[in-house]
């Protein structure tokens, strides 16, 4: 059961040297191709996500603007109603809703 070590003259390799180098060359090509495809896919996904986020941000901004415009109209109508009900002039000072201590 004494096996000669790989550097000795008696060592018989299972694969010829050229086949071993071909195998490592193939593995290097696979590794490089995998890294390049991963990098390319990451950049493509990143660009798509940025575009989607910009679209969503624009939609949220538009919806918020519509909501705030509706709130502004509601508050203006409430202010006019309070001016009529409590005889405050619309352009005058706002009534105080709390007591000063």
């Amino acid at each position: 059961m004494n096996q000669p070590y790989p550097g000795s003259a008696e060592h018989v390799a299972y694969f010829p040297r050229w086949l071993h180098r071909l195998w490592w060359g193939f593995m290097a090509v696979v590794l490089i191709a995998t890294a390049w495809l991963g990098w390319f896919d990451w950049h493509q996904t990143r660009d798509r996500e940025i575009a989607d986020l910009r679209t969503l941000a624009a939609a949220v901004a538009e919806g918020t603007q519509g909501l705030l415009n509706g709130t502004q109209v509601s508050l203006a109508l409430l202010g006019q109603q309070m001016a009529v009900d409590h005889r405050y002039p619309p352009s005058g000072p706002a009534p105080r809703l709390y007591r000063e201590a």
Side-chain angles (χ1 to χ4, degrees):
M1 287 284 163
N2 278 339
Q3 297 283 333
Y5 61 92
S8 70
E10 296 93 22
H11 178 72
V12 178
Y14 291 113
F15 296 109
R17 187 176 294 236
W18 67 269
L19 189 59
H20 189 71
R21 287 183 180 167
L22 180 68
W23 170 253
W24 282 112
F26 175 73
M27 292 306 289
V29 168
V30 167
L31 181 66
I32 291 169
T34 303
W36 181 79
L37 285 174
W39 179 83
F40 180 75
D41 189 44
W42 180 79
H43 277 283
Q44 190 177 14
T45 302
R46 181 178 173 264
D47 292 341
R48 187 176 58 245
E49 291 295 324
I50 287 173
D52 289 346
L53 283 175
R54 286 182 179 156
T55 303
L56 287 173
V60 168
E62 188 175 319
T64 303
Q65 184 67 35
L67 178 68
L68 291 177
N69 285 342
T71 304
Q72 181 184 11
V73 169
S74 297
L75 289 175
L77 290 174
L78 180 63
Q80 289 176 0
Q81 185 64 37
M82 285 181 66
V84 170
D85 289 348
H86 300 290
R87 301 191 192 278
Y88 290 117
S91 61
R96 292 198 176 154
L97 301 177
Y98 60 91
R99 266 189 332 194
E100 290 184 20

